[in-house]
Amino acid sequence: MWCFFREIDWSFLLNFNDIDKAVFSFYNCLNDVFSRTVPLRQTVTRRFPFWYTTETRRLLKRKARVRRLALKCVNPDSVDEFRALRSAVKYSIQKDYNTYLRLTENNLISNPRKFWSYFNNTKHNSPNSLYYNNVCYENDGDIANAFADYFKSVFKPSTNYDIKNEFKSNCVGDFVKIDSVTYDDVVLAIRELKSSLTVGVDNIPSFIIKGCAEFFIYPLLILFNLSLRSNVFPYVWKQTRIIPVFKKGDAQDCKNYRPIAILSPMSKIFESIIHKRLFHQVKNLISPSQHGFIPKRSTATNLFCLINKIISSFQIGSQLDVIYTDFSKAFDSIDFGILLNKLHGLGFHVNLTDWLHSYLCNRSLYVYFNNAVSREFSGTSGVPQGSNLGPLLFILFINDLTSVFKYSECLLFADDLKLFSSMNSNLDAVLLQSDLDCLFKWCTVNKLHLNIEKCSILSYTRKSQPLNHVYKINDLVLSRSDSVTDLGIIFDTKLDFSQHINSMVSKAYRRLGILKRKTKEFSSEIALKVLYYAHVRSSLEYCSIIWDPIYRNKIEIIERIQNNFLRYLLYKKNGIYLQDASSSYLRDMFNIPSLCSRRDVSCVLFFYKVINGSINCTDILSAINFAVPARSMRNQGSFPNVYSRFKYIDRFSLYKFYKTFNKISGELDIYHMSPTVFKSNCFQLLYT
């Protein structure tokens, strides 16, 4: 393949003015090379497991042949030969299976994500029949069309207008523009492309592009620049394959599936370049309240900002009313005309908006189900799923939402919106209701639908008689609850997090049970530890700075999960299951620190990243108080010590960071140490 690619002179692409014709010729050359170098194989049903070696298959066939002769009594020695072959086959199969297990363990060590895909019985099988709109479909083609009809139903018609005339009349400047793509841009984008066997409509897997990158850089550079010059995104790269993936509930209900979009890797390379160039120019325009799809921000930064507001409200004896909203199919409901108008308002050049209009419109989608293909349909609204540009376009669309609130504050994680305000009197509740009305008007103008039934109110207070105001959206009363799940963390009105810890522990036990059942034939200690870290411990440490407990009973409940795994690890190593083995002994034996210690380190590292800019959130940085101790003071720590008789203060991660870091501040330089050295020293000091 390399030899054929090396002989192609891609300069003929410079003669094209039509991007679609240029891309068509580009694919013709690729398909010609593939037809001469990639052998065609007919898919057949395997008679034997794929991990059988050629020798095992040969023995099985020979055993079957000798068995037939023995049954016919043609040769008296056939029975003895059959018995010998049967023993040889059993030995060979066991040998192949052991080899397969060792290879699997090594693969899981390097990529623990393969744990779920490796075991086929953990996957959900495709349904034999499907119901959509009270109609049952049993044929694979009909099922694919039913999925297509359902996925198409979420789209809405977009606004049609003359882009150029509208933009010329409201021109505010051309600050954001992309004139061309450089050679280095393409090299870096191909290097960052994930190597995968998954193929889009063009049937070219990404590992071929990465393996032959030196031959793809020049033609892709020509095509990308032609696309930008002509303000047209190639139609071939707008074709999308949709794979329906089961969520939960009834497997025969079409509405219990989500669409997973498979795009062409060429399109992903182009989009990643445009995304980087675009984000660099608009990052300062994005609201600081937005934490989704923004580098150096995360769910942890979003939730900490909320926690900080709640703690501040508790400290002054006030009440914080938080309204959790829910947009219905927000990513699929974006109106193209409104989006382009907003982008121009942000200073996008007219050529760039023309290119984005071509990128968004006339996208062709089809559903692929059990080798059956549905009829094609078009996405008339929304940002493309699975794309690099889609999330950025969405947060630019929703960016002006934060400016409509006059009396309250908000936090965003993509389309997840929280609106909150401190309640000192009924007037504060009236003002918050006013901002709710502004939210509904904004949704109406921007054609986004609020799922009011799923919107809820939580009043964070330690008062015995809180102020329970009735909030409404479009004259519909919002439900008031005692707890809510926000970005995977269960919050309650007292900020206790007991409900979250119990739910988290329950899920972790289920995951650990699956892990132990599926690895009962594994023998590699490293593989077992890697799988535990990836699939069990990670769920116990998600956003731990938010819910980290201070009570011993809660700490021990969490530690029992790891102790359970450590006893299982000891059993796999020595064949003895010691129920009464001490947790400290087991942790020292397998060099696994306690979960409590890891949470302490995680807390210190989080604020280390905030102080040094690895986490870019000005609200968190402004909340940190630095101590300048006098020479006569006994406390020479870098941060002030906070004392309180209230337990929620001790539980607050920022004050816990003050206390933890001041103990080791003499050994660590939080301002000049590199992240690797700081983390290593922090682990060593806190564990010892």
Side-chain angles (χ1 to χ4, degrees):
M1 189 180 293
W2 274 46
C3 296
F4 285 110
F5 277 136
R6 190 182 295 113
E7 294 174 358
I8 298 177
D9 182 9
W10 295 106
S11 59
F12 75 92
L13 294 174
L14 295 170
N15 300 324
F16 287 95
N17 293 321
D18 188 316
I19 182 61
D20 287 321
K21 292 181 179 179
V23 171
F24 180 77
S25 298
F26 170 70
Y27 276 114
N28 279 341
C29 293
L30 295 185
N31 292 330
D32 180 61
V33 172
F34 295 150
S35 65
R36 288 186 286 176
T37 58
V38 180
L40 296 178
R41 290 186 60 185
Q42 184 177 1
T43 303
V44 295
T45 304
R46 293 180 181 272
R47 291 180 55 192
F48 308 110
F50 66 91
W51 42 267
Y52 276 16
T53 60
T54 304
E55 177 64 19
T56 301
R57 293 172 183 157
R58 186 185 64 80
L59 287 174
L60 282 167
K61 292 177 181 178
R62 184 180 173 189
K63 187 189 77 167
R65 187 166 55 250
V66 172
R67 180 177 178 274
R68 287 193 297 269
L69 293 176
L71 291 175
K72 293 179 181 179
C73 299
V74 175
N75 187 352
D77 297 332
S78 298
V79 176
D80 295 334
E81 184 180 1
F82 171 76
R83 290 173 178 170
L85 285 172
R86 183 173 59 185
S87 300
V89 165
K90 288 181 179 180
Y91 175 79
S92 182
I93 290 176
Q94 187 62 47
K95 180 181 177 182
D96 292 349
Y97 185 65
N98 291 336
T99 302
Y100 169 62
L101 286 178
R102 301 294 84 76
L103 291 174
T104 301
E105 289 175 343
N106 293 333
N107 290 334
L108 291 176
I109 291 172
S110 59
N111 188 4
R113 291 183 179 181
K114 291 183 179 180
F115 174 72
W116 302 112
S117 61
Y118 168 71
F119 296 102
N120 292 328
N121 56 352
T122 61
K123 289 184 177 182
H124 191 277
N125 296 325
S126 300
N128 296 324
S129 61
L130 191 76
Y131 285 88
Y132 179 58
N133 288 340
N134 297 323
V135 179
C136 181
Y137 301 94
E138 296 183 352
N139 180 270
D140 287 343
D142 295 336
I143 293 176
N145 287 326
F147 276 124
D149 293 339
Y150 170 62
F151 296 148
K152 181 182 178 181
S153 66
V154 303
F155 296 120
K156 301 176 182 178
S158 289
T159 305
N160 294 321
Y161 62 92
D162 188 343
I163 303 171
K164 295 181 180 180
N165 290 339
E166 180 75 14
F167 284 170
K168 287 178 180 178
S169 63
N170 297 298
C171 184
V172 295
D174 298 328
F175 306 110
V176 182
K177 57 183 178 180
I178 301 175
D179 295 325
S180 62
V181 170
T182 65
Y183 184 90
D184 292 337
D185 290 336
V186 182
V187 172
L188 183 60
I190 294 179
R191 188 179 302 161
E192 293 178 349
L193 183 67
K194 292 183 180 180
S195 184
S196 172
L197 295 173
T198 306
V199 296
V201 178
D202 55 10
N203 292 322
I204 301 177
S206 57
F207 78 89
I208 288 183
I209 299 176
K210 290 181 70 69
C212 304
E214 59 184 284
F215 307 114
F216 281 98
I217 296 172
Y218 181 61
L220 289 179
L221 179 64
I222 296 174
L223 294 176
F224 294 165
N225 284 320
L226 177 58
S227 174
L228 291 174
R229 285 198 308 271
S230 59
N231 301 330
V232 177
F233 191 80
Y235 177 76
V236 175
W237 294 344
K238 292 194 287 186
Q239 294 178 316
T240 306
R241 174 181 294 172
I242 301 293
I243 307 295
V245 175
F246 178 70
K247 295 186 292 185
K248 61 180 180 179
D250 184 4
Q252 293 184 325
D253 187 354
C254 187
K255 297 181 181 180
N256 291 329
Y257 289 79
R258 68 162 58 95
I260 300 298
I262 309 297
L263 302 177
S264 165
M266 308 292 183
S267 173
K268 291 184 177 181
I269 294 171
F270 195 11
E271 288 186 46
S272 66
I273 296 173
I274 300 298
H275 178 274
K276 282 187 177 181
R277 300 280 292 276
L278 202 56
F279 182 79
H280 179 71
Q281 299 181 65
V282 303
K283 61 182 180 181
N284 293 329
L285 303 176
I286 299 173
S287 169
S289 299
Q290 177 64 262
H291 293 253
F293 305 113
I294 304 295
K296 299 183 180 181
R297 297 183 201 169
S298 63
T299 55
T301 59
N302 181 289
L303 296 176
F304 179 86
C305 290
L306 177 63
I307 287 284
N308 188 36
K309 295 293 182 182
I310 297 173
I311 294 296
S312 299
S313 179
F314 283 178
Q315 288 177 320
I316 62 176
S318 181
Q319 170 182 321
L320 191 76
D321 279 6
V322 182
I323 299 176
Y324 295 88
T325 64
D326 182 83
F327 289 100
S328 179
K329 304 289 184 183
F331 280 81
D332 295 326
S333 304
I334 299 298
D335 185 284
F336 296 154
I338 298 175
L339 171 61
L340 294 172
N341 196 17
K342 288 187 176 186
L343 294 181
H344 182 71
L346 291 173
F348 276 55
H349 193 279
V350 64
N351 290 339
L352 182 55
T353 53
D354 283 346
W355 184 88
L356 288 171
H357 181 264
S358 174
Y359 167 78
L360 291 169
C361 296
N362 300 320
R363 299 190 74 91
S364 176
L365 304 91
Y366 69 89
V367 175
Y368 183 82
F369 176 82
N370 283 355
N371 296 323
V373 177
S374 74
R375 66 178 74 93
E376 289 190 359
F377 60 98
S378 179
T380 57
S381 65
V383 293
Q385 189 195 81
S387 62
N388 291 316
L389 275 177
L392 178 59
L393 294 177
F394 179 83
I395 61 176
L396 290 175
F397 180 88
I398 206 173
N399 191 54
D400 62 335
L401 173 60
T402 59
S403 63
V404 305
F405 305 129
K406 298 179 181 179
Y407 308 106
S408 56
E409 300 177 75
C410 69
L411 284 170
L412 282 162
F413 190 87
D415 62 333
D416 187 284
L417 170 67
K418 294 184 285 286
L419 195 62
F420 52 90
S421 179
S422 182
M423 296 292 115
N424 296 312
S425 65
N426 287 325
L427 177 60
D428 294 325
V430 173
L431 295 177
L432 181 56
Q433 177 62 57
S434 175
D435 280 344
L436 267 181
D437 297 336
C438 293
L439 169 63
F440 181 74
K441 291 179 182 178
W442 184 91
C443 292
T444 303
V445 171
N446 290 275
K447 297 185 178 181
L448 286 185
H449 177 66
L450 270 175
N451 195 341
I452 301 177
E453 294 181 355
K454 292 186 178 180
C455 297
S456 61
I457 310 161
L458 210 62
S459 295
Y460 294 96
T461 180
R462 304 191 72 82
K463 296 179 179 179
S464 58
Q465 295 181 344
L467 176 63
N468 292 328
H469 185 80
V470 177
Y471 296 98
K472 298 180 180 179
I473 297 180
N474 194 26
D475 293 331
L476 296 177
V477 177
L478 300 184
S479 61
R480 183 177 291 273
S481 59
D482 295 327
S483 63
V484 67
T485 301
D486 184 13
L487 300 179
I489 305 297
I490 301 176
F491 283 74
D492 57 82
T493 56
K494 301 298 182 182
L495 219 60
D496 181 66
F497 294 110
S498 294
Q499 188 176 349
H500 171 74
I501 292 174
N502 294 335
S503 175
M504 175 189 66
V505 167
S506 178
K507 291 179 181 178
Y509 271 122
R510 290 197 294 270
R511 288 192 174 194
L512 181 58
I514 294 174
L515 176 66
K516 291 165 70 173
R517 289 193 297 272
K518 300 304 179 182
T519 60
K520 60 184 179 181
E521 295 178 318
F522 282 19
S523 60
S524 172
E525 176 184 326
I526 298 177
L528 293 172
K529 290 167 71 172
V530 166
L531 291 175
Y532 166 73
Y533 296 156
H535 299 291
V536 181
R537 192 173 72 178
S538 60
S539 65
L540 294 171
E541 295 180 340
Y542 170 68
C543 286
S544 60
I545 64 164
I546 305 299
W547 53 264
D548 190 4
I550 59 173
Y551 294 112
R552 183 174 297 275
N553 62 333
K554 296 296 181 183
I555 295 174
E556 291 178 351
I557 288 174
I558 301 173
E559 290 291 343
R560 286 173 194 163
I561 302 173
Q562 180 161 279
N563 295 340
N564 189 317
F565 171 74
L566 291 173
R567 287 193 294 270
Y568 172 70
L569 206 57
L570 180 64
Y571 168 74
K572 297 294 291 185
K573 181 178 181 180
N574 298 333
I576 303 174
Y577 198 91
L578 298 178
Q579 188 68 33
D580 56 347
S582 67
S583 57
S584 58
Y585 168 76
L586 293 174
R587 288 198 300 268
D588 293 340
M589 174 183 291
F590 296 108
N591 193 27
I592 297 179
S594 67
L595 297 174
C596 181
S597 300
R598 285 183 56 85
R599 289 195 297 272
D600 290 341
V601 174
S602 177
C603 179
V604 174
L605 288 177
F606 178 83
F607 290 102
Y608 164 83
K609 293 177 181 179
V610 172
I611 293 171
N612 290 276
S614 297
I615 293 177
N616 182 18
C617 186
T618 54
D619 290 339
I620 301 178
L621 185 60
S622 62
I624 301 175
N625 294 320
F626 297 88
V628 184
R631 186 173 299 178
S632 59
M633 294 181 64
R634 299 178 63 183
N635 177 28
Q636 299 292 325
S638 301
F639 303 95
N641 287 326
V642 179
Y643 302 97
S644 174
R645 61 189 179 90
F646 299 110
K647 291 298 181 182
Y648 68 84
I649 294 295
D650 295 334
R651 192 163 51 236
F652 186 34
S653 57
L654 179 59
Y655 299 156
K656 192 172 184 178
F657 161 69
Y658 291 164
K659 182 178 180 180
T660 304
F661 186 79
N662 283 339
K663 293 179 181 179
I664 57 176
S665 58
E667 306 291 335
L668 293 175
D669 185 354
I670 198 172
Y671 305 105
H672 300 98
M673 274 188 174
S674 66
T676 305
V677 175
F678 183 86
K679 183 177 181 179
S680 175
N681 292 348
C682 189
F683 266 78
Q684 184 178 0
L685 291 171
L686 290 179
Y687 287 163
T688 55

